[in-house]
Amino acid sequence: GQQLNQSPQSMFIQEGEDVSMNCTSSSIFNTWLWYKQDPGEGPVLLIALYKAGELTSNGRLTAQFGITRKDSFLNISASIPSDVGIYFCAGRTTGANSKLTFGKGITLSVRP
Amino acid sequence: DGGITQSPKYLFRKEGQNVTLSCEQNLNHDAMYWYRQDPGQGLRLIYYSQIVNDFQKGDIAEGYSVSREKKESFPLTVTSAQKNPTAFYLCASSIQRQETQYFGPGTRLLVL
């Protein structure tokens, strides 16, 4: 089945630093989504990407849809303590039976 | 406010007992989903429904059942056949099946 790879499982950064995380797949996707999950809460959509090469920003967050359509990355600039959480990527193929496939997530810790 | 609500926040199940998790949305979304999340894992699809009175099994449907009698509601029953029910359960909805999914706050199920 389709799999999305996110690594490493955990990242530790200093407040104020930038961080980049990526998501790769052996399959081609037509939609990439990035979600953030706070502890004990549901994931919240950060950015949605629908076109290869697309670069979209949401405040300090920037995400790009890879040109090969097999990867995407998320950048967080000038990190703050509330950036702590789990960041999931999700991808969808086309077709009537397409479904959303999730990566396992990256847990981000920000040291003050 | 429009959104997705899940109740209860925490649920305890005794051995051999069926329990039902509630999911309600007032977003007028056609499609609804149930996911299971285990520590360090991505989201695994249990069931989904594209329209009222219709639902399909996801990747891990065994031991679970659902109903979709109303557009707004998609309750999940964890049956006694589910031998490892302890997990965080997330409900999501989207305008249609192919569209971006939005998540509820989750229900944590614990076995006594």
Side-chain angles (χ1 to χ4, degrees), chain A residues 42-103:
Chain A
V44 173
L45 181 68
L46 297 174
I47 293 178
L49 302 162
Y50 300 105
K51 187 177 176 182
E54 181 180 355
L55 184 71
T56 297
S57 294
N58 178 7
R60 294 179 295 106
L61 277 60
T62 301
Q64 185 159 28
F65 192 140
I67 292 176
T68 65
R69 295 163 65 192
K70 293 183 178 182
D71 62 351
S72 176
F73 72 77
L74 175 72
N75 280 346
I76 304 173
S77 63
S79 60
I80 59 178
S82 63
D83 289 334
V84 165
I86 303 175
Y87 290 81
F88 290 99
C89 63
R92 174 183 285 118
T93 59
T94 54
N97 295 320
S98 70
K99 65 176 183 178
L100 203 57
T101 300
F102 286 86

Side-chain angles (χ1 to χ4, degrees), chain A residues 9 31 33 35 37 40-45 48 50 86 88 92-100 102-105, chain B residues 9 33 35 37 39-43 45 48 50 59 88 90 94 96-106 108:
Chain A
Q9 190 171 0
T31 299
L33 306 172
Y35 290 89
Q37 184 179 29
E41 300 295 331
V44 173
L45 181 68
Y50 300 105
I86 303 175
F88 290 99
R92 174 183 285 118
T93 59
T94 54
N97 295 320
S98 70
K99 65 176 183 178
L100 203 57
F102 286 86
K104 292 187 177 182
Chain B
K9 185 72 173 174
Y33 314 80
Y35 291 91
Q37 185 178 28
Q41 299 294 317
L43 304 181
L45 183 64
Y48 65 94
Q50 299 186 68
D59 299 320
F88 192 50
L90 288 161
S94 60
Q96 291 179 348
R97 168 132 164 78
Q98 306 294 330
E99 302 297 323
T100 300
Q101 294 178 23
Y102 297 88
F103 287 86
R108 186 164 298 281

Side-chain angles (χ1 to χ4, degrees), chain B residues 2-111:
Chain B
I4 304 172
T5 57
Q6 290 186 243
S7 61
K9 185 72 173 174
Y10 297 93
L11 187 58
F12 298 90
R13 192 190 92 165
K14 296 180 181 178
E15 294 287 342
Q17 187 180 44
N18 293 353
V19 292
T20 298
L21 284 62
S22 168
C23 178
E24 304 279 332
Q25 54 98 1
N26 61 3
L27 301 168
N28 200 32
H29 285 175
D30 283 322
M32 297 186 74
Y33 314 80
W34 274 104
Y35 291 91
R36 172 180 171 138
Q37 185 178 28
D38 295 283
Q41 299 294 317
L43 304 181
R44 293 185 291 169
L45 183 64
I46 305 172
Y47 268 97
Y48 65 94
S49 168
Q50 299 186 68
I51 199 167
V52 174
N53 292 323
D54 179 74
F55 49 83
Q56 306 292 330
K57 292 182 178 179
D59 299 320
I60 56 165
E62 186 175 350
Y64 300 97
S65 65
V66 293
S67 63
R68 187 86 186 276
E69 298 177 1
K70 298 187 301 181
K71 187 175 186 177
E72 302 79 20
S73 178
F74 191 40
L76 173 74
T77 297
V78 184
T79 74
S80 58
Q82 173 49 246
K83 297 306 179 188
N84 184 25
T86 297
F88 192 50
Y89 290 87
L90 288 161
C91 178
S93 71
S94 60
I95 295 173
Q96 291 179 348
R97 168 132 164 78
Q98 306 294 330
E99 302 297 323
T100 300
Q101 294 178 23
Y102 297 88
F103 287 86
T107 292
R108 186 164 298 281
L109 177 61
L110 300 167
V111 177

Side-chain angles (χ1 to χ4, degrees), chain A residues 3 5 10 13 16-17 19 30 46 63-64 67 88-89 102 108:
Chain A
Q3 284 190 322
N5 300 307
S10 302
I13 61 173
E17 288 183 342
V19 62
N30 291 297
L46 297 174
Q64 185 159 28
I67 292 176
F88 290 99
C89 63
F102 286 86
L108 179 66

